[in-house]
Amino acid sequence: PGSGFTDGFLVRLLQYSQKTKGFGPTGILEANYKLFDERLAFYLQGQIAFMTLNLEVNTGPFVTYVSDLTNDVNLAIPGHLSEDRNKSTWQNAAELGVRLTLNNGLQLEAAYNITGLLDVVLLPTDIQIPTNILEAPQGTSALYGTQDFVLDGWRAGIAYQF
């Protein structure tokens, strides 16, 4: 029991590093509904982007332990996982909020926002680790897939215009 797993102390966990570069067109649209001599404003803002991305993910060097069945010992075999992928993705965001402007130049704002960065995280879906010394020359390999990165939250702010 517990064979093949690590607590992260003696055998370190894999630490993935990802770099993403991209470009593409972006569109933004905002709608306002103002009340009380434009002092109270409700707004809805949307943004959409079609991006062409280059995703690079890398673990750096690590070791896997494989069994040598003839000598009944575990041997450390060096490993390294990396992937480079080009793809197109959609990225979109929406914000719904309210702005209140007071007489003395003070403005209060509260909003809820959600941002969807679709297919921008590249992670392994299956890692193939050699189980014995005969499979060691094949090395450690992985199959990769993309995942969405979605952020949402509330924002409140105060502004003062001189």
Side-chain angles (χ1 to χ4, degrees), residues 7 9 13 32 48-49 62 66-67 78 105 111 121 128 134 137 142 162:
D7 60 3
F9 180 70
L13 299 173
N32 288 304
I48 189 164
F62 64 91
V66 298
S67 299
V121 179
Q128 312 280 321
L134 299 175
F162 294 96

Side-chain angles (χ1 to χ4, degrees), residues 62 64 77-81 128-131 134-142:
F62 64 91
T64 56
I77 304 297
H80 180 251
L81 296 176
Q128 312 280 321
I129 300 172
T131 57
L134 299 175
E135 297 173 358
Q138 299 171 17
T140 303
S141 63

